[in-house]
Amino acid sequence: MNRGHHIYLEKTGQAPSPSKDFHQLIVQDHEVIWRTWKISLRKDLKAIPPSQKKISWEDFDYDDIAQLDIARVFGEDTLRLVHGLVCGDWLVRLPESVVVHIASYLDLVDIARLGSLCKFLRKVCSSNELWEKIYRKHCDTVTKEIQELAHEVGWKKTFFTNRLQLQVQVRRRKEKNSADLKLRAAQLAHREEPVKPAGTAFLTQTND
């Protein structure tokens, strides 16, 4: 059936519950093949022939449905392996944390190039984990205010924001936090104020 093609990967398995369907994944020269056998007790579905989907290596990175199906049936590790095969880059077979560590030693231009290879590497090259490493490597100190700002807008955006803009954003954040604290203190003080009972009469006794 696949005579003349070199098969790099072939897996067959059943989809997770509640589905009963069987699937076959084949990665061969220049294409990824996804086959599905529908398993059902319904008579009208028993005669349905297996479906087949062929995806070129060039299009695989953009086929979100196929990637979700592979991850759902065979797991994220298999999906990463397929990415490595179709991208021609075995780097994507490594754990994400290892790829992040490797990428943190690259120049910014090389990081951009690496992120253009496939979806997995694009995700790594845009991750907060990577850009936090890069920020800490290029900056002498990372204040608590910078960490809070990065948590809010992301480390990549924080890294590419120049120092003057960072100072402005940090100052605004401090002012906002200070205003919020004052408002909370005022609200708390208002709650704790003693309330005079309504309609209380004070009688003064006089001596005849």
Side-chain angles (χ1 to χ4, degrees), residues 74-161:
F74 297 112
E76 291 289 342
D77 289 341
T78 297
L79 176 59
R80 188 174 299 173
L81 174 58
V82 176
H83 269 301
L85 291 170
V86 302
C87 291
D89 191 346
W90 292 92
L91 184 65
V92 299
R93 296 187 62 186
L94 297 173
E96 186 170 333
S97 59
V98 176
V99 182
V100 166
H101 183 72
I102 294 172
S104 68
Y105 290 95
L106 299 177
D107 295 331
L108 298 182
V109 174
D110 292 329
I111 290 175
R113 290 172 178 167
L114 181 66
S116 67
L117 293 178
C118 67
K119 182 176 289 186
F120 170 71
L121 292 176
R122 185 159 57 249
K123 174 188 171 187
V124 168
C125 292
S126 299
S127 67
N128 262 327
E129 292 78 11
L130 173 62
W131 287 100
E132 181 178 1
K133 284 178 176 290
I134 294 172
Y135 190 99
R136 291 182 182 277
K137 185 170 67 173
H138 285 80
C139 300
D140 297 331
T141 58
V142 180
T143 64
K144 180 182 177 182
E145 289 78 11
I146 291 294
Q147 293 183 52
E148 291 175 348
L149 181 64
H151 180 73
E152 183 177 315
V153 302
W155 280 101
K156 184 176 182 179
K157 186 174 181 179
T158 303
F159 177 81
F160 282 108
T161 303

Side-chain angles (χ1 to χ4, degrees), residues 161-172:
T161 303
N162 64 45
R163 291 183 180 274
L164 180 59
Q165 290 176 322
L166 272 180
Q167 291 173 1
V168 171
Q169 291 188 33
V170 167
R171 187 180 71 249
R172 287 176 178 172

